[in-house]
Amino acid sequence: MHKGITGIDIHEDRLIAVQVRGGMNRYAITACTQIPLKERDLGEGLERLSQSIDLATGKCVVSIPPHRISFRNLDLPFTDARKIRQTLPYELETLLPFPVEDLIIDFIKAAPDRTGEILSASVNKEMVSTYLNILKDHGMDPDRLDVRGLSIVPWLWKQANIPERFVLLELGEKRSTLFLCINRHVALIRTLTVTKDAAAGKKSPARPARDEPLKTGDEAIQPLGVSIGRQVRQTLHAYQTGHEQPYHPEKVFLSASAADDPETDRLLGHALDLPVERIDISRDQRVSKPAAVLEDWDPGAMNSALAAALRDPRAGAGLDFRKNEFEKKGRYPEAKKAIRKGVIFLVLILALLGGHLITDYYMLKREYNRLDTEMIRLFKKTLPQVTRIVDPVQQLKVEIQQLEEESASTAMTGSDRRVLDLLADLSRRIPKTVDVHVSRMVMDPKSVRIGGETDTFNSVDSLKNALTPSAFFSEVTISSANLDRKNNRVKFEMKLKRNRGQALPKRVGPSAG
C-alpha cells in the first residue's frame, strides 16, 4: 500500500478530513472526521485535526470554499492553453471589481477542444497565502489547492450510466454549489445561498402533493428543496440564454450535508422536473471502509474530501491555485524518486549487458583462436609441402581448385589415356615367366602405385625393367622391397610416374595381346 492521502475540506464553520491508503486501484478509508471551527479559527481547528488524523506522512489535498472564488465564463478565439494563460488576466480585468495583480487565476475548458469557451476561477492572493501559512504552521504542505466539491465530477464521469448532461449540487448549511457538466466538461460553477428558513428545514403550512404545483411566491416560507430548485432553475436559464444551443440537464446528483430529509430530494426534483440521485462515494467498489470508520462516516459531508483524496491529478476538470509564487517546491517528489530509481535500474541493466557483451567477446575470441590453431594444424597435415602459410583457407581453396582442374584435364584427354588402356599396357608388359601377384593399385593424375609380392628380388627388378619402356610412364621406381620370412616371399611397392608430355601410342586392340 502507498502512503496515505488526506483530503481536507475547509468550510466556514468546520473542517472535514478523509484519509485513504491505496494501491493497485484499490483504496481503504483509514480515517475520517469533522472538526467544528470555534470562532472560525482555522489554526485551532487544524491543531485538533492533527490530533485525530496523522497528517505528518503522505500527501495532502486541500479544498477551499467556492464562495471565496470568482467564476467567470469566457469565450476566446483560440484554444491553446499557453495563449489562454497569457490573455486571461487582460480579459478579466474589466469583469472583476479588484486588480488582477492581486489574484491567482486558473481555468478549465468549459466546452470541447474545438471551441474557445473556458471557465475561469480567480482567488485573492492574500487569502491563498493565509491558508498556506496556517497549514504550514501545522506541518502541512498541500500538493493541490482545489475548489471544494469539484473533485466529485471526475469521479462521476467514471461511473456507469452517467448522462452527458447533468447537474451536481453540493448542499451546505448556508451555501450550496452548482456544477453544470456537459459532454465531460464542467461548463458552469455557481454558489447558491440557502435561506435561513430553508436551512432550518421549516416546512410551508400547506405542503403540496407530488402532482400539485408548488407555490414559490415570496409570501410563502419555502422548504430547502423548493428554494434551491428555484435558484438552480434561474441559474440554468441564465446560462442557456447566452448560448445558441440550449443545454437541458438529464439528471441531478446530490451531495447533501445539510438535508437528510428525503422530502428535499422530492421537492427539488419536482421544482426542476428532473430525477434526483444522492451519491455516496464510499460505496465505490474500489473503496473499503473498516468498521472503525463506519461510526464517523457521513457521506453527504465527506463526499468532497474523499473524492479529492481519490482524484487522479492527471484527470480533467481540475483547478489548482498553487501557482506562481505559491507553487509547491519539489512538486513531484515521488516522480523524481521514481525517475532516480529508473535511472539506477537502467544503469544496472546497461552494466549487466556490457559485462555480458564483454564476456561473450572474450569467449568468442578464445574459440576463434582455438579454431584458427586447429585449422592450421589440419592444413599442415593435408599439405605438408607448403611451408609458408598466409591464409590457410584461401591457400587450401587454390590447391583444391588445381586438383579439380587436373582431374578435369585428365578426364577430358583422348581414349589413349583411358584407365583401361593403362591397365592393358601394364598387363601386357608384365612377363609371364615372372611369379608376381599384384594386391594393390592406386591411381591419381600424376602417378600409379602398385603393391604386391613375388618370389625373389630379381623378379622385382625384372618387373621394373619390363615397365620402364612404357609410353604411359616417364619413370618407374621401386619404393620398397622386403622379404616376408613367414611366407618366404618378397613384398614390394613401385611408383610409376605418369607421362603427360609425350605422344602416346594408338590403342592396342584385343588381337595384339
Side-chain angles (χ1 to χ4, degrees):
M1 301 287 281
H2 299 303
K3 291 182 178 181
I5 304 175
T6 305
I8 300 176
D9 279 353
I10 299 178
H11 293 251
E12 292 183 277
D13 57 351
R14 57 181 167 165
L15 290 175
I16 298 177
V18 177
Q19 189 174 78
V20 302
R21 289 183 181 272
M24 299 300 291
N25 205 29
R26 303 290 299 177
Y27 302 91
I29 300 175
T30 56
C32 63
T33 187
Q34 298 188 55
I35 304 295
L37 295 182
K38 298 179 179 179
E39 299 180 357
R40 300 185 179 183
D41 189 345
L42 179 60
E44 187 270 341
L46 289 172
E47 181 67 30
R48 286 190 290 144
L49 177 62
S50 62
Q51 297 173 2
S52 303
I53 296 180
D54 181 13
L55 302 174
T57 59
K59 295 182 178 181
C60 175
V61 180
V62 175
S63 299
I64 61 178
H67 73 275
R68 292 185 173 271
I69 303 169
S70 176
F71 299 99
R72 291 291 187 275
N73 285 74
L74 299 173
D75 194 2
L76 301 179
F78 40 79
T79 60
D80 182 70
R82 183 177 59 85
K83 291 183 179 180
I84 292 175
R85 293 192 184 282
Q86 293 175 348
T87 308
L88 197 53
Y90 302 101
E91 294 289 334
L92 293 174
E93 190 170 15
T94 59
L95 301 177
L96 299 176
F98 21 76
V100 292
E101 294 81 6
D102 297 338
L103 301 176
I104 294 293
I105 303 172
D106 198 6
F107 75 94
I108 54 178
K109 293 187 177 182
D113 293 339
R114 63 180 180 272
T115 64
E117 185 176 353
I118 65 166
L119 174 62
S120 69
S122 307
V123 64
N124 189 274
K125 288 183 179 179
E126 184 178 354
M127 187 187 70
V128 173
S129 177
T130 300
Y131 279 142
L132 292 178
N133 288 334
I134 296 175
L135 290 166
K136 184 178 180 180
D137 292 341
H138 292 81
M140 285 175 277
D141 188 15
D143 291 79
R144 193 170 71 250
L145 205 61
D146 204 346
V147 179
R148 192 182 69 219
L150 184 58
S151 296
I152 299 176
V153 175
W155 178 85
L156 282 171
W157 284 337
K158 293 180 180 180
Q159 309 309 305
N161 301 321
I162 295 297
E164 292 186 354
R165 303 181 303 277
F166 64 85
V167 170
L168 168 65
L169 274 178
E170 191 195 29
L171 293 184
E173 294 288 345
K174 297 181 179 180
R175 293 180 178 87
S176 298
T177 308
L178 177 150
F179 301 90
L180 174 61
C181 300
I182 301 173
N183 297 327
R184 301 187 67 84
H185 289 77
V186 179
L188 183 70
I189 302 177
R190 290 293 183 268
T191 300
L192 310 177
T193 302
V194 179
T195 61
K196 293 183 179 180
D197 292 333
K202 294 182 179 180
K203 302 177 182 179
S204 57
R207 175 174 295 180
R210 184 177 182 83
D211 55 349
E212 293 179 0
L214 289 173
K215 296 180 180 180
T216 57
D218 294 336
E219 72 281 358
I221 299 177
Q222 298 176 349
L224 178 61
V226 176
S227 174
I228 292 296
R230 177 174 55 82
Q231 294 184 65
V232 170
R233 188 168 61 245
Q234 292 172 349
T235 302
L236 296 179
H237 177 73
Y239 175 79
Q240 293 176 1
T241 301
H243 292 77
E244 297 179 359
Q245 181 181 359
Y247 295 104
H248 299 292
E250 303 172 51
K251 196 171 187 178
V252 176
F253 293 97
L254 194 61
S255 179
S257 59
D260 295 330
D261 185 4
E263 190 67 13
T264 299
D265 301 13
R266 187 186 76 82
L267 293 175
L268 180 61
H270 195 297
L272 298 176
D273 194 22
L274 291 173
V276 177
E277 178 183 340
R278 289 190 180 238
I279 59 175
D280 183 355
I281 298 179
S282 68
R283 295 181 181 177
D284 192 317
Q285 294 182 352
R286 302 174 302 159
V287 180
S288 61
K289 289 183 296 186
V293 175
L294 289 175
E295 297 180 1
D296 299 326
W297 183 252
D298 181 353
M302 298 179 176
N303 276 332
S304 176
L306 176 57
L310 297 179
R311 183 178 179 271
D312 185 348
R314 297 168 296 181
L319 292 170
D320 187 3
F321 299 110
R322 296 218 64 175
K323 296 184 179 299
N324 303 333
E325 63 266 36
F326 301 113
E327 187 169 1
K328 184 177 180 180
K329 297 180 180 180
R331 191 176 183 88
Y332 306 105
E334 292 190 356
K336 291 182 179 179
K337 290 181 181 178
I339 292 173
R340 191 179 300 114
K341 291 180 180 179
V343 171
I344 295 174
F345 185 67
L346 181 61
V347 170
L348 290 176
I349 290 178
L350 293 176
L352 292 174
L353 182 60
H356 180 70
L357 292 175
I358 293 173
T359 303
D360 281 353
Y361 170 76
Y362 282 107
M363 292 291 291
L364 290 173
K365 185 176 180 180
R366 187 172 66 178
E367 181 67 13
Y368 172 80
N369 292 334
R370 185 188 69 79
L371 293 174
D372 189 51
T373 302
E374 180 67 15
M375 182 172 58
I376 294 175
R377 185 186 69 80
L378 292 175
F379 182 87
K380 290 180 178 180
K381 184 178 180 181
T382 306
L383 301 174
Q385 70 277 13
V386 180
T387 58
R388 186 170 181 270
I389 303 175
V390 179
D391 186 349
V393 175
Q394 185 62 29
Q395 289 176 274
L396 190 58
K397 286 181 178 180
V398 172
E399 290 292 332
I400 293 174
Q401 185 177 2
Q402 291 178 354
L403 291 174
E404 289 177 347
E405 290 176 354
E406 291 177 357
S407 177
S409 176
T410 302
M412 294 176 64
T413 55
S415 59
D416 291 335
R417 290 181 179 272
R418 292 185 300 181
V419 175
L420 292 178
D421 294 339
L422 189 146
L423 292 176
D425 185 69
L426 288 173
S427 178
R428 187 175 64 252
R429 291 184 180 280
I430 295 175
K432 295 182 179 180
T433 58
V434 176
D435 181 10
V436 61
H437 174 71
V438 178
S439 61
R440 184 169 65 89
M441 180 180 290
V442 179
M443 293 185 180
D444 60 48
K446 295 182 179 181
S447 64
V448 178
R449 294 180 182 273
I450 300 175
E453 59 182 27
T454 185
D455 53 351
T456 64
F457 288 101
N458 291 333
S459 297
V460 177
D461 291 334
S462 298
L463 181 60
K464 174 182 177 291
N465 294 332
L467 296 175
T468 299
S470 173
F472 283 97
F473 309 106
S474 62
E475 183 182 351
V476 179
T477 58
I478 299 174
S479 300
S480 64
N482 300 303
L483 177 64
D484 186 359
R485 297 183 182 280
K486 182 178 179 181
N487 299 324
N488 199 25
R489 303 275 288 176
V490 177
K491 290 186 176 182
F492 70 92
E493 184 173 335
M494 290 184 182
K495 181 179 179 181
L496 294 78
K497 187 175 181 181
R498 298 180 68 171
N499 190 344
R500 301 172 60 85
Q502 301 179 5
L504 297 176
K506 293 184 180 294
R507 179 179 178 183
V508 180
S511 60

